Amino acid sequence: MLIRYLSQIGRYFLMLKEIFNKQTKWSVMKKLIFKEIDDLIIDSLGIVCFISFFIGGVVAIQTALNLTNPLIPKYLIGFATRQSVILEFAPTFISVIMAGKMGSYITSSIGTMRVTEQIDALEVMGVNSLNYLVFPKIVALLMYPFVIGISMFLGIFGGWLACAYGGFSTSQDFIQGAQMEFIPFHITYAFIKTLIFAMLLATIPSFHGYYMKGGALEVGKASTVSFVWTSVCIILFNYILTQLLLG
């Protein structure tokens, strides 16, 4: 079992090396990159906005309901919401959800190409299939921090609306808390995490799709396995990066 995992990890790093070898012509690559931006980034904005808005509201309400001591100032609701959304909910929680949405799409699309022998056809034509298929996804997901930035804004905005119109605190208190003791490095930390997660989201599902064997049933299994391993790696790297950058 251990040997199998180690061989898979080794194959993954060899795949990363191969992605950047023998580049596809820019005229072709440009179209592929714009298609991936549309499929992976633009198509994800709707679900990200919806989840972020309501998660921010729930965090604010839960915080307000637990601050029952009258000696605790109400502006701490805004402070706790901002910290929770920026540090964890936006970069990590959304990335795990994207592991399901983006990851399943990437694995199934590349896996279907493997099953229908389209990848073999690319290799016969002398095209570096890994560069052709995976590199545009990596470039497209460099825009992933933009998605997480929107998620942060909507999370805090949702928390503000929930507090102000739910009667948990005044608008002024929430805004005061959201601005209190703000550390700009926390945004930098969140975006560093996001870029690492973007790389994982682009490469791990691609790995499982590219090296899968079998037919249509195995494509579904590969999508499930890729979601599990992408989520595990995101959680693991979240711990490591938090320890390194904030510890």
Side-chain angles (χ1 to χ4, degrees), residues 134-161:
V134 184
F135 185 73
K137 293 174 174 57
I138 293 174
V139 175
L141 279 166
L142 290 176
M143 293 185 66
Y144 187 55
F146 166 74
V147 175
I148 296 304
I150 292 174
S151 173
M152 289 176 186
F153 169 75
L154 285 174
I156 295 169
F157 181 67
W160 171 70
L161 279 182

Side-chain angles (χ1 to χ4, degrees), residues 124-142:
V124 168
M125 289 188 292
V127 176
N128 179 354
S129 55
L130 278 170
N131 178 260
Y132 184 87
L133 294 171
V134 184
F135 185 73
K137 293 174 174 57
I138 293 174
V139 175
L141 279 166
L142 290 176

Side-chain angles (χ1 to χ4, degrees), residues 7 55 91 125 181 201 216 241:
S7 68
I55 284 290
M125 289 188 292
E181 293 182 21
L201 285 168
L241 290 168

Side-chain angles (χ1 to χ4, degrees), residues 83 192 213:
Q83 293 295 91
I192 290 171
K213 293 173 183 172

Side-chain angles (χ1 to χ4, degrees), residues 60 75 77-78 81 156 159-160 163 169-178:
Y75 62 72
I77 299 169
T81 303
I156 295 169
W160 171 70
C163 272
S169 76
T170 64
S171 176
Q172 288 79 11
D173 280 344
F174 186 90
I175 292 169
Q176 181 190 349

Side-chain angles (χ1 to χ4, degrees), residues 16-78:
L16 292 183
K17 176 176 171 288
E18 190 62 31
I19 288 169
F20 299 98
N21 288 340
K22 197 180 173 187
Q23 296 284 327
T24 307
K25 284 195 299 185
W26 175 245
S27 58
V28 176
M29 185 59 72
K30 185 169 62 174
K31 293 175 185 173
L32 293 171
I33 289 169
F34 281 120
K35 182 182 181 299
E36 296 297 348
I37 289 172
D38 188 46
D39 290 340
L40 299 177
I41 301 296
I42 306 300
D43 283 0
S44 300
L45 284 175
I47 185 74
V48 168
C49 292
F50 178 81
I51 291 170
S52 301
F53 181 80
F54 286 101
I55 284 290
V58 167
V59 169
I61 292 169
Q62 292 279 18
T63 305
L65 292 174
N66 283 285
L67 294 179
T68 51
N69 192 321
L71 298 176
I72 298 174
K74 291 291 185 184
Y75 62 72
L76 285 179
I77 299 169

Side-chain angles (χ1 to χ4, degrees), residues 12 21 26 41 46 52 96 98 100 106 154 232-233 240 246:
Y12 171 75
N21 288 340
W26 175 245
I41 301 296
S52 301
V96 171
M98 288 299 106
I106 291 170
L154 285 174
V232 167
C233 288
I240 293 169
L246 297 182

